[in-house]
Structure formats: C-alpha cells, structure tokens
Amino acid sequence: MIDRALAPSDSCHMVQLFDNDTSLSEVVSQYLGAGLAAGEMVILIATAAHRSAIRRQLTDRAFDLERAQAAGLYTELDAHDLLAGFLVDGRPDATKFEALVGDRIEAMQQTRPGVRIRAYGEMVDLLWGDDNPAAALELESLWNDFCARQPLALLCAYHAAHFGGDAGETGLEAVCGAHDYVVPREQAGALPDANGRLRELTLLQQRAAALSLEVTRRTALEGDLREALSAATAAHAVADESVRYNELFTRMVGHDLRNPLNAIVTTAHYLTRISTEPKLLRAAQRITSSSMRMARMIEQLLDFTRIQVGKGLHVERGTTDLLQLCQGLVTTLQSTHPGRTIVLASRGVAVGELDAERMTQVLSTLLLNAVHYGDDARPVRLDLDGSDPGSLTVSVHNGGVVSPEVMPLFFAPMHGGLKGEHTQALGLGLYLTRALIRAHGGEIAVHSSAAGGTVVRVELPRQATVEMTA
C-alpha cells in the first residue's frame, strides 16, 4: 500500500506513469487514502470518470468522504473545468493559475496550519493527451514554483501511451526532469532508493533495446497508419468547420429574432393600454409573458454560444448591494408563487464589485429552481453572509433531494429539468449560472441529502482582483 514513502517530504513533486484506468485509480486511492488516514488534507483533481473510480476505491477502503469533505479534509475538483479557468490560447496563464489554484490551496493551508496537504492532479496528462506537451510542461513549472513557496506533496500522472512515439523518450525525459521523484509503474507502492533507481535504470535500458527491435518490426506499418491519420485529420477539420458554422448560425438567429420579438412585445403592451376588454387583455398578457420567456431563452442561447466559441461571458462590475437585490427578487417571487414561503436572512454588509444585472440572473435562476423543484411543504431559504471582508457568500436552501444519477449533471447544459420532466426551458440556466459565477472569480457548489435537503452555495470575491471569463 502506498504510504508516506511516496511523499517523502512536506513539499515534493512526483510523477507516476500508468497503463490503464484501473491501475491509476488503485494507485491514487492508496496515495490519497494514506493522507486521509493520517489526518492530512487531500485534493483530487481529475476527470469525472477518474474521480468516480477513485471515490469508489476510497469508499471501499472505509473512508467517509462526505464527512471528510465537510471537515475540509477532502476536496474534489474537475480537471477539465479547472484547466478552462486558467488556459489562455491553449497555454496556462500564471496569474489565473495563482488565482484559481494557488490561492485556494493557500487558503486550505491557513485553515489548518501545520497540517500536511497532499494532492493528485492530471491536468498535465489532459494537455499532453491533447497534443499540447509545451503547455503541460509549463503547467508543471507553475506547480514547481508554487511548491517552492508553499509546502505541498503533489502527485501527477501520465498515461504511458503518450510516450510511445519517436519523440517519446525526449518527452519522457522532460517530464521526469520537471519532478522531484519519478515512481516507476512496477514500484508504485514505494519510492526506490538510489541503488534501486540504478537497477531500475538498467532494466529500463534493456527494455528500451527490446522496444527498438519492436519499432523496427513495425516500421512497415507506418505508411498505412500515416494515411489513416491523414484521413482522420481531414475528417476532424471538416467536423470543426461544421461546428463553427453551426455556432455562427446560432448567433445570427439569436440576434435576428430580437427585432420581431420586440415588435410583438410592443404591440402587446399597446393592446393593454387601449383596450379594457377582458379577453383581449388576457391574450395580451399571455403574449407578453411568452415573449419575455422567449427573450430569456434567446439571451441564454447567445450566452451559451459565446462560451462555446471561447469568448466567455463579460461582466460589467459596479457597486452592488446583494441584500437590496435579493429583497426585490423575493418580493417578486412571493407574488408570483403565493403558495410558497421564501425566507431571506442576512448578516454583515453584502456589498461588492459585481455585475448587478448578471447577479440578478444568477439569483433568479437559483431561487426559481428551488421553488420549482423543492418540497412545497418546506420553505425556500436565501442566506446572505457579508461578514467576511474579502468575500460574499450566498446560499439557497430548499427541501427535497437531488438524485445521485442527476447530481453529476446538475450544472451540465441541455439536460432540462432536474427531475427529468418536460420543460419549456433550454436547460441552460444552471450551466450559465456557474459560468457567470466563475466570470466573477467565484465558486459554486451543490450539496444534497435526504436529511438536509439541497443547498446551492455561491462564494464571490467582494472586489475584482483578476479579470475572469467563463
């Protein structure tokens, strides 16, 4: 079993090669499990599939991950989402990396001074797998800079298949050179000593000679493989062009729909002013309500397209009083949903540099979601916490529980209602909510249980520090 030997000092940077997902989940679960058993704080940065497998392994080892997470000892982060937050033109941006990753780890260290942190991350493997080794090595350098300032035991992992080509040896040497320790696949449970490393090097040299003969044998197949790769590359280029045109078409349609929609809304308003006939007024009100819903759907579609084409969501910051904003939203919702109880509680000063219009969109989505899907017999609770001088926290709590199969898709686009029923929405509300929170430099998380109900928690920096895009 992997123990402290794999992380021989409080600040070390290690790399592990893996052949398949099963071996990877076993190694990482042993590594993180050793940290949890020792009372350390652990961070898991991986894809959804790997997080699920590692989480299952840890649970099988009798670790209570929900309890560890509640105590601040266990943190999961999505590798794809985290990468998207600090990549600029395919390369890691040092400032955004510090804001999204470094600051978070430093904050964890401050909550438990002296407690060791060990982390596992595979963002570098994703970059290498996307044929972007330069970005992967730049990210390794950023991790090294951070480990030099703050104590962190970090284990990285690369799929061994990445280093099987002609440039594989050079790439592997660069990866090994970026780490303090290299853990061979055959010795994943312990770090070999100096003599052990020499013996391992001898074995690797012998294997390299054998592989050289295998490469020679397979040279005859390279012509067919190159042709197949060329055809696949051409097909991929055609698919990319098709996606680009589809996105362009969506933006054009969204913009072109606004003019006739505005005309419809104007006409409906005019009818309500000139007529007192009840049937006509009801029809005008239905037109106005449907038009407003269509306008929201168009805005959501345009925001979604901006994200997909890589432009992100722009925010216009200004001094915003979240308490005043929430009071207006609660009053409006209470009038449109008289059968539901909405409780607003606040402490501290909930004022920050935020985009008031975008925050109205965020909070409206969260409150409507809570009213729509929550237990009708239990109130919806909206809590504002402005007691921290550097951040603002918003929590929306409703009765009811999100099913385990839906939870991984909670913020995913195009999934419709959380209960699976047919809706008139596009299924983009929660996806865009998360994007807008990240555009403000904040974080959003959801927790759900039968006993405690469902809580969506948003944490926002009170002041703008780094320009963020979703």
mmCIF file of all heavy atoms in Angstrom, residues 36-85:
data_model
loop_
_atom_site.group_PDB
_atom_site.id
_atom_site.type_symbol
_atom_site.label_atom_id
_atom_site.label_comp_id
_atom_site.label_asym_id
_atom_site.label_seq_id
_atom_site.Cartn_x
_atom_site.Cartn_y
_atom_site.Cartn_z
ATOM 1 N N LEU A 36 -5.605 10.699 4.082
ATOM 2 C CA LEU A 36 -6.800 10.788 4.926
ATOM 3 C C LEU A 36 -6.603 10.029 6.241
ATOM 4 O O LEU A 36 -7.025 10.504 7.295
ATOM 5 C CB LEU A 36 -8.007 10.227 4.167
ATOM 6 C CG LEU A 36 -8.511 11.061 2.976
ATOM 7 C CD1 LEU A 36 -9.570 10.291 2.197
ATOM 8 C CD2 LEU A 36 -9.065 12.394 3.459
ATOM 9 N N ALA A 37 -5.980 8.866 6.153
ATOM 10 C CA ALA A 37 -5.746 8.080 7.367
ATOM 11 C C ALA A 37 -4.827 8.813 8.339
ATOM 12 O O ALA A 37 -4.932 8.643 9.554
ATOM 13 C CB ALA A 37 -5.155 6.719 7.008
ATOM 14 N N ALA A 38 -3.935 9.642 7.810
ATOM 15 C CA ALA A 38 -3.004 10.384 8.657
ATOM 16 C C ALA A 38 -3.560 11.740 9.092
ATOM 17 O O ALA A 38 -2.848 12.515 9.727
ATOM 18 C CB ALA A 38 -1.680 10.576 7.922
ATOM 19 N N GLY A 39 -4.794 12.036 8.746
ATOM 20 C CA GLY A 39 -5.383 13.309 9.125
ATOM 21 C C GLY A 39 -4.934 14.472 8.274
ATOM 22 O O GLY A 39 -5.078 15.635 8.668
ATOM 23 N N GLU A 40 -4.389 14.185 7.074
ATOM 24 C CA GLU A 40 -3.953 15.243 6.174
ATOM 25 C C GLU A 40 -5.115 15.740 5.330
ATOM 26 O O GLU A 40 -6.146 15.078 5.210
ATOM 27 C CB GLU A 40 -2.833 14.717 5.270
ATOM 28 C CG GLU A 40 -1.623 14.213 6.036
ATOM 29 C CD GLU A 40 -0.612 13.521 5.136
ATOM 30 O OE1 GLU A 40 -0.909 13.350 3.930
ATOM 31 O OE2 GLU A 40 0.453 13.157 5.623
ATOM 32 N N MET A 41 -4.952 16.910 4.736
ATOM 33 C CA MET A 41 -5.904 17.418 3.766
ATOM 34 C C MET A 41 -5.502 16.908 2.384
ATOM 35 O O MET A 41 -4.326 16.976 2.025
ATOM 36 C CB MET A 41 -5.935 18.947 3.778
ATOM 37 C CG MET A 41 -6.519 19.531 5.044
ATOM 38 S SD MET A 41 -6.695 21.342 4.975
ATOM 39 C CE MET A 41 -4.975 21.833 5.119
ATOM 40 N N VAL A 42 -6.463 16.397 1.623
ATOM 41 C CA VAL A 42 -6.161 15.853 0.308
ATOM 42 C C VAL A 42 -7.027 16.545 -0.741
ATOM 43 O O VAL A 42 -8.154 16.952 -0.470
ATOM 44 C CB VAL A 42 -6.380 14.318 0.249
ATOM 45 C CG1 VAL A 42 -5.531 13.617 1.281
ATOM 46 C CG2 VAL A 42 -7.844 13.968 0.435
ATOM 47 N N ILE A 43 -6.463 16.675 -1.938
ATOM 48 C CA ILE A 43 -7.150 17.312 -3.057
ATOM 49 C C ILE A 43 -7.085 16.361 -4.246
ATOM 50 O O ILE A 43 -6.008 15.890 -4.612
ATOM 51 C CB ILE A 43 -6.498 18.655 -3.430
ATOM 52 C CG1 ILE A 43 -6.403 19.581 -2.210
ATOM 53 C CG2 ILE A 43 -7.276 19.338 -4.547
ATOM 54 C CD1 ILE A 43 -5.602 20.843 -2.479
ATOM 55 N N LEU A 44 -8.234 16.096 -4.850
ATOM 56 C CA LEU A 44 -8.321 15.227 -6.021
ATOM 57 C C LEU A 44 -8.733 16.072 -7.221
ATOM 58 O O LEU A 44 -9.838 16.595 -7.276
ATOM 59 C CB LEU A 44 -9.347 14.113 -5.776
ATOM 60 C CG LEU A 44 -9.715 13.231 -6.973
ATOM 61 C CD1 LEU A 44 -8.476 12.529 -7.523
ATOM 62 C CD2 LEU A 44 -10.793 12.225 -6.590
ATOM 63 N N ILE A 45 -7.815 16.236 -8.189
ATOM 64 C CA ILE A 45 -8.079 16.990 -9.414
ATOM 65 C C ILE A 45 -8.048 15.990 -10.568
ATOM 66 O O ILE A 45 -6.973 15.542 -10.977
ATOM 67 C CB ILE A 45 -7.031 18.099 -9.632
ATOM 68 C CG1 ILE A 45 -6.917 19.003 -8.399
ATOM 69 C CG2 ILE A 45 -7.377 18.924 -10.860
ATOM 70 C CD1 ILE A 45 -5.776 20.007 -8.484
ATOM 71 N N ALA A 46 -9.215 15.624 -11.074
ATOM 72 C CA ALA A 46 -9.272 14.574 -12.086
ATOM 73 C C ALA A 46 -10.533 14.741 -12.928
ATOM 74 O O ALA A 46 -11.389 15.579 -12.642
ATOM 75 C CB ALA A 46 -9.258 13.197 -11.410
ATOM 76 N N THR A 47 -10.618 13.929 -13.979
ATOM 77 C CA THR A 47 -11.816 13.929 -14.809
ATOM 78 C C THR A 47 -12.960 13.279 -14.037
ATOM 79 O O THR A 47 -12.749 12.605 -13.024
ATOM 80 C CB THR A 47 -11.568 13.156 -16.106
ATOM 81 O OG1 THR A 47 -11.269 11.776 -15.774
ATOM 82 C CG2 THR A 47 -10.417 13.755 -16.890
ATOM 83 N N ALA A 48 -14.178 13.450 -14.538
ATOM 84 C CA ALA A 48 -15.342 12.902 -13.851
ATOM 85 C C ALA A 48 -15.243 11.378 -13.722
ATOM 86 O O ALA A 48 -15.537 10.820 -12.662
ATOM 87 C CB ALA A 48 -16.617 13.298 -14.591
ATOM 88 N N ALA A 49 -14.809 10.707 -14.793
ATOM 89 C CA ALA A 49 -14.715 9.246 -14.756
ATOM 90 C C ALA A 49 -13.680 8.786 -13.740
ATOM 91 O O ALA A 49 -13.921 7.854 -12.972
ATOM 92 C CB ALA A 49 -14.376 8.710 -16.152
ATOM 93 N N HIS A 50 -12.525 9.442 -13.725
ATOM 94 C CA HIS A 50 -11.486 9.049 -12.769
ATOM 95 C C HIS A 50 -11.883 9.384 -11.341
ATOM 96 O O HIS A 50 -11.602 8.610 -10.414
ATOM 97 C CB HIS A 50 -10.161 9.741 -13.130
ATOM 98 C CG HIS A 50 -9.509 9.167 -14.344
ATOM 99 N ND1 HIS A 50 -8.404 9.724 -14.955
ATOM 100 C CD2 HIS A 50 -9.817 8.075 -15.094
ATOM 101 C CE1 HIS A 50 -8.055 8.997 -16.002
ATOM 102 N NE2 HIS A 50 -8.907 8.005 -16.112
ATOM 103 N N ARG A 51 -12.549 10.535 -11.151
ATOM 104 C CA ARG A 51 -12.988 10.878 -9.786
ATOM 105 C C ARG A 51 -13.963 9.830 -9.267
ATOM 106 O O ARG A 51 -13.900 9.419 -8.105
ATOM 107 C CB ARG A 51 -13.649 12.259 -9.763
ATOM 108 C CG ARG A 51 -12.707 13.407 -10.026
ATOM 109 C CD ARG A 51 -13.267 14.739 -9.522
ATOM 110 N NE ARG A 51 -14.633 14.979 -9.890
ATOM 111 C CZ ARG A 51 -15.033 15.495 -11.037
ATOM 112 N NH1 ARG A 51 -14.135 15.830 -11.963
ATOM 113 N NH2 ARG A 51 -16.316 15.699 -11.299
ATOM 114 N N SER A 52 -14.861 9.385 -10.127
ATOM 115 C CA SER A 52 -15.836 8.383 -9.709
ATOM 116 C C SER A 52 -15.149 7.079 -9.313
ATOM 117 O O SER A 52 -15.475 6.487 -8.278
ATOM 118 C CB SER A 52 -16.832 8.144 -10.843
ATOM 119 O OG SER A 52 -17.746 7.132 -10.499
ATOM 120 N N ALA A 53 -14.182 6.638 -10.119
ATOM 121 C CA ALA A 53 -13.477 5.386 -9.818
ATOM 122 C C ALA A 53 -12.655 5.503 -8.542
ATOM 123 O O ALA A 53 -12.649 4.597 -7.701
ATOM 124 C CB ALA A 53 -12.585 4.994 -10.999
ATOM 125 N N ILE A 54 -11.962 6.636 -8.372
ATOM 126 C CA ILE A 54 -11.133 6.828 -7.179
ATOM 127 C C ILE A 54 -12.002 6.962 -5.936
ATOM 128 O O ILE A 54 -11.693 6.416 -4.865
ATOM 129 C CB ILE A 54 -10.233 8.070 -7.358
ATOM 130 C CG1 ILE A 54 -9.223 7.810 -8.487
ATOM 131 C CG2 ILE A 54 -9.508 8.421 -6.071
ATOM 132 C CD1 ILE A 54 -8.518 9.055 -8.976
ATOM 133 N N ARG A 55 -13.130 7.690 -6.085
ATOM 134 C CA ARG A 55 -14.057 7.838 -4.968
ATOM 135 C C ARG A 55 -14.590 6.467 -4.545
ATOM 136 O O ARG A 55 -14.718 6.173 -3.342
ATOM 137 C CB ARG A 55 -15.190 8.763 -5.399
ATOM 138 C CG ARG A 55 -16.024 9.314 -4.265
ATOM 139 C CD ARG A 55 -16.824 10.521 -4.713
ATOM 140 N NE ARG A 55 -17.546 10.282 -5.952
ATOM 141 C CZ ARG A 55 -17.426 11.008 -7.046
ATOM 142 N NH1 ARG A 55 -16.616 12.049 -7.064
ATOM 143 N NH2 ARG A 55 -18.118 10.732 -8.134
ATOM 144 N N ARG A 56 -14.901 5.618 -5.521
ATOM 145 C CA ARG A 56 -15.397 4.281 -5.202
ATOM 146 C C ARG A 56 -14.326 3.460 -4.476
ATOM 147 O O ARG A 56 -14.621 2.756 -3.497
ATOM 148 C CB ARG A 56 -15.831 3.582 -6.489
ATOM 149 C CG ARG A 56 -16.459 2.227 -6.280
ATOM 150 C CD ARG A 56 -17.170 1.741 -7.542
ATOM 151 N NE ARG A 56 -16.280 1.739 -8.694
ATOM 152 C CZ ARG A 56 -16.373 2.598 -9.705
ATOM 153 N NH1 ARG A 56 -17.297 3.538 -9.693
ATOM 154 N NH2 ARG A 56 -15.538 2.521 -10.733
ATOM 155 N N GLN A 57 -13.082 3.574 -4.921
ATOM 156 C CA GLN A 57 -11.989 2.854 -4.261
ATOM 157 C C GLN A 57 -11.823 3.326 -2.814
ATOM 158 O O GLN A 57 -11.654 2.520 -1.897
ATOM 159 C CB GLN A 57 -10.682 3.086 -5.030
ATOM 160 C CG GLN A 57 -10.629 2.424 -6.390
ATOM 161 C CD GLN A 57 -9.933 1.068 -6.330
ATOM 162 O OE1 GLN A 57 -9.516 0.626 -5.272
ATOM 163 N NE2 GLN A 57 -9.834 0.411 -7.472
ATOM 164 N N LEU A 58 -11.881 4.643 -2.604
ATOM 165 C CA LEU A 58 -11.731 5.176 -1.243
ATOM 166 C C LEU A 58 -12.892 4.738 -0.357
ATOM 167 O O LEU A 58 -12.691 4.413 0.827
ATOM 168 C CB LEU A 58 -11.637 6.705 -1.288
ATOM 169 C CG LEU A 58 -10.344 7.278 -1.858
ATOM 170 C CD1 LEU A 58 -10.463 8.785 -2.070
ATOM 171 C CD2 LEU A 58 -9.164 6.982 -0.935
ATOM 172 N N THR A 59 -14.094 4.738 -0.916
ATOM 173 C CA THR A 59 -15.250 4.292 -0.134
ATOM 174 C C THR A 59 -15.112 2.818 0.229
ATOM 175 O O THR A 59 -15.432 2.412 1.356
ATOM 176 C CB THR A 59 -16.542 4.521 -0.941
ATOM 177 O OG1 THR A 59 -16.650 5.914 -1.258
ATOM 178 C CG2 THR A 59 -17.752 4.104 -0.134
ATOM 179 N N ASP A 60 -14.625 2.019 -0.711
ATOM 180 C CA ASP A 60 -14.401 0.595 -0.419
ATOM 181 C C ASP A 60 -13.356 0.402 0.668
ATOM 182 O O ASP A 60 -13.352 -0.629 1.363
ATOM 183 C CB ASP A 60 -13.967 -0.144 -1.694
ATOM 184 C CG ASP A 60 -15.097 -0.247 -2.712
ATOM 185 O OD1 ASP A 60 -16.262 -0.044 -2.321
ATOM 186 O OD2 ASP A 60 -14.795 -0.529 -3.892
ATOM 187 N N ARG A 61 -12.479 1.386 0.825
ATOM 188 C CA ARG A 61 -11.465 1.308 1.897
ATOM 189 C C ARG A 61 -11.979 1.891 3.209
ATOM 190 O O ARG A 61 -11.202 2.185 4.102
ATOM 191 C CB ARG A 61 -10.199 2.047 1.456
ATOM 192 C CG ARG A 61 -9.536 1.462 0.227
ATOM 193 C CD ARG A 61 -8.364 2.335 -0.221
ATOM 194 N NE ARG A 61 -7.898 1.969 -1.538
ATOM 195 C CZ ARG A 61 -6.987 1.014 -1.770
ATOM 196 N NH1 ARG A 61 -6.470 0.372 -0.752
ATOM 197 N NH2 ARG A 61 -6.614 0.740 -3.001
ATOM 198 N N ALA A 62 -13.297 2.108 3.280
ATOM 199 C CA ALA A 62 -13.980 2.549 4.509
ATOM 200 C C ALA A 62 -13.727 4.003 4.859
ATOM 201 O O ALA A 62 -13.845 4.400 6.022
ATOM 202 C CB ALA A 62 -13.601 1.643 5.689
ATOM 203 N N PHE A 63 -13.406 4.850 3.886
ATOM 204 C CA PHE A 63 -13.272 6.282 4.149
ATOM 205 C C PHE A 63 -14.624 6.955 3.948
ATOM 206 O O PHE A 63 -15.289 6.746 2.934
ATOM 207 C CB PHE A 63 -12.229 6.908 3.219
ATOM 208 C CG PHE A 63 -10.813 6.514 3.538
ATOM 209 C CD1 PHE A 63 -10.148 5.599 2.752
ATOM 210 C CD2 PHE A 63 -10.166 7.045 4.640
ATOM 211 C CE1 PHE A 63 -8.853 5.232 3.036
ATOM 212 C CE2 PHE A 63 -8.872 6.690 4.935
ATOM 213 C CZ PHE A 63 -8.202 5.758 4.135
ATOM 214 N N ASP A 64 -15.018 7.768 4.916
ATOM 215 C CA ASP A 64 -16.263 8.542 4.841
ATOM 216 C C ASP A 64 -15.938 9.871 4.159
ATOM 217 O O ASP A 64 -15.572 10.854 4.813
ATOM 218 C CB ASP A 64 -16.828 8.768 6.254
ATOM 219 C CG ASP A 64 -18.211 9.396 6.223
ATOM 220 O OD1 ASP A 64 -18.596 9.942 5.160
ATOM 221 O OD2 ASP A 64 -18.901 9.364 7.251
ATOM 222 N N LEU A 65 -16.117 9.912 2.839
ATOM 223 C CA LEU A 65 -15.701 11.088 2.076
ATOM 224 C C LEU A 65 -16.596 12.291 2.339
ATOM 225 O O LEU A 65 -16.115 13.435 2.333
ATOM 226 C CB LEU A 65 -15.692 10.757 0.580
ATOM 227 C CG LEU A 65 -14.697 9.667 0.163
ATOM 228 C CD1 LEU A 65 -14.698 9.506 -1.344
ATOM 229 C CD2 LEU A 65 -13.289 10.003 0.654
ATOM 230 N N GLU A 66 -17.890 12.069 2.561
ATOM 231 C CA GLU A 66 -18.768 13.205 2.852
ATOM 232 C C GLU A 66 -18.355 13.879 4.156
ATOM 233 O O GLU A 66 -18.324 15.105 4.258
ATOM 234 C CB GLU A 66 -20.220 12.729 2.941
ATOM 235 C CG GLU A 66 -20.826 12.345 1.595
ATOM 236 C CD GLU A 66 -22.314 12.092 1.711
ATOM 237 O OE1 GLU A 66 -22.860 12.283 2.824
ATOM 238 O OE2 GLU A 66 -22.930 11.720 0.695
ATOM 239 N N ARG A 67 -18.028 13.077 5.147
ATOM 240 C CA ARG A 67 -17.594 13.640 6.425
ATOM 241 C C ARG A 67 -16.250 14.352 6.281
ATOM 242 O O ARG A 67 -16.054 15.442 6.820
ATOM 243 C CB ARG A 67 -17.483 12.519 7.464
ATOM 244 C CG ARG A 67 -17.122 13.004 8.863
ATOM 245 C CD ARG A 67 -17.152 11.848 9.840
ATOM 246 N NE ARG A 67 -16.816 12.275 11.180
ATOM 247 C CZ ARG A 67 -16.745 11.467 12.241
ATOM 248 N NH1 ARG A 67 -17.029 10.168 12.080
ATOM 249 N NH2 ARG A 67 -16.424 11.933 13.422
ATOM 250 N N ALA A 68 -15.334 13.742 5.529
ATOM 251 C CA ALA A 68 -14.035 14.381 5.305
ATOM 252 C C ALA A 68 -14.182 15.684 4.536
ATOM 253 O O ALA A 68 -13.503 16.680 4.812
ATOM 254 C CB ALA A 68 -13.107 13.422 4.564
ATOM 255 N N GLN A 69 -15.103 15.704 3.554
ATOM 256 C CA GLN A 69 -15.324 16.925 2.777
ATOM 257 C C GLN A 69 -15.914 18.015 3.656
ATOM 258 O O GLN A 69 -15.512 19.182 3.564
ATOM 259 C CB GLN A 69 -16.255 16.617 1.605
ATOM 260 C CG GLN A 69 -16.379 17.746 0.591
ATOM 261 C CD GLN A 69 -17.154 17.322 -0.637
ATOM 262 O OE1 GLN A 69 -17.996 16.437 -0.586
ATOM 263 N NE2 GLN A 69 -16.873 17.954 -1.755
ATOM 264 N N ALA A 70 -16.869 17.645 4.508
ATOM 265 C CA ALA A 70 -17.479 18.625 5.412
ATOM 266 C C ALA A 70 -16.458 19.191 6.387
ATOM 267 O O ALA A 70 -16.551 20.360 6.800
ATOM 268 C CB ALA A 70 -18.637 17.982 6.166
ATOM 269 N N ALA A 71 -15.464 18.392 6.758
ATOM 270 C CA ALA A 71 -14.429 18.844 7.691
ATOM 271 C C ALA A 71 -13.304 19.597 6.990
ATOM 272 O O ALA A 71 -12.348 20.035 7.634
ATOM 273 C CB ALA A 71 -13.855 17.645 8.446
ATOM 274 N N GLY A 72 -13.396 19.752 5.682
ATOM 275 C CA GLY A 72 -12.357 20.457 4.940
ATOM 276 C C GLY A 72 -11.122 19.634 4.677
ATOM 277 O O GLY A 72 -10.074 20.173 4.310
ATOM 278 N N LEU A 73 -11.217 18.303 4.842
ATOM 279 C CA LEU A 73 -10.064 17.425 4.647
ATOM 280 C C LEU A 73 -10.051 16.770 3.269
ATOM 281 O O LEU A 73 -9.046 16.170 2.886
ATOM 282 C CB LEU A 73 -10.053 16.330 5.718
ATOM 283 C CG LEU A 73 -9.865 16.797 7.159
ATOM 284 C CD1 LEU A 73 -10.008 15.628 8.123
ATOM 285 C CD2 LEU A 73 -8.505 17.474 7.336
ATOM 286 N N TYR A 74 -11.142 16.875 2.525
ATOM 287 C CA TYR A 74 -11.218 16.219 1.220
ATOM 288 C C TYR A 74 -11.878 17.172 0.226
ATOM 289 O O TYR A 74 -12.974 17.674 0.460
ATOM 290 C CB TYR A 74 -12.030 14.931 1.335
ATOM 291 C CG TYR A 74 -12.222 14.202 0.023
ATOM 292 C CD1 TYR A 74 -11.184 13.466 -0.540
ATOM 293 C CD2 TYR A 74 -13.433 14.245 -0.649
ATOM 294 C CE1 TYR A 74 -11.357 12.792 -1.737
ATOM 295 C CE2 TYR A 74 -13.617 13.574 -1.842
ATOM 296 C CZ TYR A 74 -12.566 12.850 -2.376
ATOM 297 O OH TYR A 74 -12.746 12.189 -3.556
ATOM 298 N N THR A 75 -11.189 17.425 -0.883
ATOM 299 C CA THR A 75 -11.686 18.340 -1.899
ATOM 300 C C THR A 75 -11.554 17.697 -3.265
ATOM 301 O O THR A 75 -10.510 17.140 -3.592
ATOM 302 C CB THR A 75 -10.903 19.672 -1.883
ATOM 303 O OG1 THR A 75 -11.035 20.288 -0.600
ATOM 304 C CG2 THR A 75 -11.427 20.616 -2.955
ATOM 305 N N GLU A 76 -12.626 17.763 -4.053
ATOM 306 C CA GLU A 76 -12.609 17.267 -5.427
ATOM 307 C C GLU A 76 -12.752 18.439 -6.390
ATOM 308 O O GLU A 76 -13.586 19.323 -6.175
ATOM 309 C CB GLU A 76 -13.754 16.279 -5.679
ATOM 310 C CG GLU A 76 -13.513 14.896 -5.140
ATOM 311 C CD GLU A 76 -14.562 13.913 -5.640
ATOM 312 O OE1 GLU A 76 -15.259 14.253 -6.623
ATOM 313 O OE2 GLU A 76 -14.683 12.823 -5.053
ATOM 314 N N LEU A 77 -11.956 18.446 -7.456
ATOM 315 C CA LEU A 77 -12.037 19.480 -8.487
ATOM 316 C C LEU A 77 -12.027 18.801 -9.857
ATOM 317 O O LEU A 77 -11.330 17.801 -10.051
ATOM 318 C CB LEU A 77 -10.863 20.457 -8.381
ATOM 319 C CG LEU A 77 -10.745 21.233 -7.060
ATOM 320 C CD1 LEU A 77 -9.432 22.011 -7.021
ATOM 321 C CD2 LEU A 77 -11.916 22.180 -6.891
ATOM 322 N N ASP A 78 -12.804 19.338 -10.781
ATOM 323 C CA ASP A 78 -12.847 18.779 -12.127
ATOM 324 C C ASP A 78 -11.659 19.292 -12.937
ATOM 325 O O ASP A 78 -11.451 20.501 -13.070
ATOM 326 C CB ASP A 78 -14.152 19.167 -12.817
ATOM 327 C CG ASP A 78 -14.279 18.507 -14.180
ATOM 328 O OD1 ASP A 78 -14.762 17.383 -14.260
ATOM 329 O OD2 ASP A 78 -13.868 19.147 -15.166
ATOM 330 N N ALA A 79 -10.867 18.377 -13.479
ATOM 331 C CA ALA A 79 -9.642 18.752 -14.193
ATOM 332 C C ALA A 79 -9.951 19.590 -15.436
ATOM 333 O O ALA A 79 -9.253 20.566 -15.719
ATOM 334 C CB ALA A 79 -8.850 17.500 -14.575
ATOM 335 N N HIS A 80 -10.997 19.221 -16.184
ATOM 336 C CA HIS A 80 -11.349 19.982 -17.386
ATOM 337 C C HIS A 80 -11.772 21.397 -17.026
ATOM 338 O O HIS A 80 -11.325 22.375 -17.648
ATOM 339 C CB HIS A 80 -12.475 19.276 -18.145
ATOM 340 C CG HIS A 80 -12.056 18.039 -18.866
ATOM 341 N ND1 HIS A 80 -11.235 18.050 -19.969
ATOM 342 C CD2 HIS A 80 -12.338 16.720 -18.618
ATOM 343 C CE1 HIS A 80 -11.048 16.814 -20.401
ATOM 344 N NE2 HIS A 80 -11.701 15.989 -19.589
ATOM 345 N N ASP A 81 -12.662 21.531 -16.031
ATOM 346 C CA ASP A 81 -13.151 22.853 -15.647
ATOM 347 C C ASP A 81 -12.035 23.735 -15.120
ATOM 348 O O ASP A 81 -11.963 24.930 -15.421
ATOM 349 C CB ASP A 81 -14.239 22.722 -14.585
ATOM 350 C CG ASP A 81 -15.532 22.168 -15.150
ATOM 351 O OD1 ASP A 81 -15.643 22.082 -16.387
ATOM 352 O OD2 ASP A 81 -16.420 21.827 -14.356
ATOM 353 N N LEU A 82 -11.139 23.150 -14.307
ATOM 354 C CA LEU A 82 -10.057 23.931 -13.739
ATOM 355 C C LEU A 82 -9.103 24.412 -14.832
ATOM 356 O O LEU A 82 -8.663 25.565 -14.827
ATOM 357 C CB LEU A 82 -9.302 23.095 -12.706
ATOM 358 C CG LEU A 82 -8.519 23.863 -11.632
ATOM 359 C CD1 LEU A 82 -9.439 24.818 -10.876
ATOM 360 C CD2 LEU A 82 -7.870 22.896 -10.654
ATOM 361 N N LEU A 83 -8.807 23.522 -15.784
ATOM 362 C CA LEU A 83 -7.956 23.916 -16.909
ATOM 363 C C LEU A 83 -8.561 25.082 -17.686
ATOM 364 O O LEU A 83 -7.868 26.046 -18.032
ATOM 365 C CB LEU A 83 -7.765 22.725 -17.853
ATOM 366 C CG LEU A 83 -6.514 21.864 -17.695
ATOM 367 C CD1 LEU A 83 -6.536 20.745 -18.714
ATOM 368 C CD2 LEU A 83 -5.246 22.683 -17.830
ATOM 369 N N ALA A 84 -9.853 24.970 -17.955
ATOM 370 C CA ALA A 84 -10.524 26.024 -18.735
ATOM 371 C C ALA A 84 -10.444 27.373 -18.045
ATOM 372 O O ALA A 84 -10.479 28.416 -18.698
ATOM 373 C CB ALA A 84 -11.990 25.651 -18.976
ATOM 374 N N GLY A 85 -10.308 27.357 -16.723
ATOM 375 C CA GLY A 85 -10.273 28.605 -15.978
ATOM 376 C C GLY A 85 -8.981 29.370 -16.098
ATOM 377 O O GLY A 85 -8.972 30.595 -15.892
#
